[in-house]
Amino acid sequence: MNQLIVTTKNLQLIACTLEIAQAELSDKSKFSELLNASVPNTWPPEFNDDETILFIINKLQEAPEQSGWWSWYFVLKDVVTASIVIGYGGFKGKPTSDGIVEIGYSILPEFQNLGYGTEAIKALVSWAFAHPEVRQIIAETLPELKASQRVLEKSHFTYIGQGSEEGIIRYQLSRNHQMNLKTAN
């Protein structure tokens, strides 16, 4: 299977494969090699732990062709001497029968507030909406994660209220809203 890569102005978003996830879990040198990027000592970002990686490994073992519908690594392109892995994000599986996917993301603290999160999320949104079955993208976050909310708002998501659990808030972006934004620009 070909590697899925989305390129933006500053980033390469690399879809997680089974090989990459297994390397992240057990062989940081191979993980770095597969992403062609250095891995900071502060890796992994918040909300990405061994349990998360094991979950992704299980999902990719079941259906490797769904690679892009799970995790993506955010690689800051050629920072003077080498590219560097700065974040992680993606979807919680392929679209539901009614065309909904949920997006999530996390950026290493030293790379936050530099626009990379917004750049990555906008690229993932475009990638998802390139699939005609995707009609809506949702995102959930904690009310105290103001930076996360700013990323969603800059990416044109709309706050809609209570999330799937108590203490979680939800945002959404519909295909129609995204198309209207593109035609307005």
Side-chain angles (χ1 to χ4, degrees), residues 7-116:
T7 302
T8 67
K9 179 183 174 190
N10 298 299
L11 304 172
Q12 257 195 338
L13 281 62
I14 301 171
C16 183
T17 62
L18 181 57
E19 182 180 23
I20 294 172
Q22 289 171 332
E24 181 181 9
L25 189 62
S26 62
D27 185 345
K28 296 295 184 207
S29 175
K30 185 174 182 184
F31 175 59
S32 173
E33 181 183 313
L34 289 170
L35 294 177
N36 194 29
S38 64
V39 180
N41 292 334
T42 54
W43 188 265
E46 191 174 21
F47 309 114
N48 179 33
D49 55 20
D50 287 355
E51 185 177 321
T52 305
I53 299 165
L54 288 169
F55 176 82
I56 297 301
I57 287 170
N58 184 45
K59 292 298 182 182
L60 291 173
Q61 284 173 331
E62 290 173 7
E65 72 281 359
Q66 291 183 13
S67 174
W69 294 113
W70 294 103
S71 301
W72 293 74
Y73 296 96
F74 307 158
V75 176
L76 185 56
K77 295 186 286 188
D78 197 3
V79 184
V80 183
T81 57
S83 297
I84 186 167
V85 186
I86 65 165
Y88 181 85
F91 305 97
K92 291 187 176 180
K94 65 182 192 166
T96 62
S97 60
D98 52 352
I100 298 172
V101 292
E102 184 173 346
I103 197 169
Y105 48 91
S106 187
I107 304 289
L108 290 171
E110 63 268 33
F111 296 99
Q112 292 177 3
N113 300 311
L114 298 170
Y116 300 131

Side-chain angles (χ1 to χ4, degrees), residues 139-144 149 159 161-163 165 167-171:
E140 293 192 331
T141 188
L142 297 168
E144 62 269 20
Q149 293 166 44
Y159 171 77
Q162 174 68 36
E165 298 176 21
I168 303 287
I169 57 175
R170 180 176 282 190
Y171 286 75

Side-chain angles (χ1 to χ4, degrees), residues 121-130 134-137 154-157 172-185:
I121 294 313
K122 285 182 175 181
L124 287 177
V125 162
S126 292
W127 183 87
F129 281 139
V134 176
R135 294 185 18 227
Q136 184 178 84
I137 302 172
K154 288 179 186 176
S155 301
H156 308 293
F157 281 73
Q172 73 178 17
L173 178 61
S174 70
R175 174 183 290 279
N176 290 341
H177 183 71
Q178 180 76 354
M179 294 308 289
N180 290 339
L181 290 169
K182 284 187 177 190
T183 57
N185 291 329

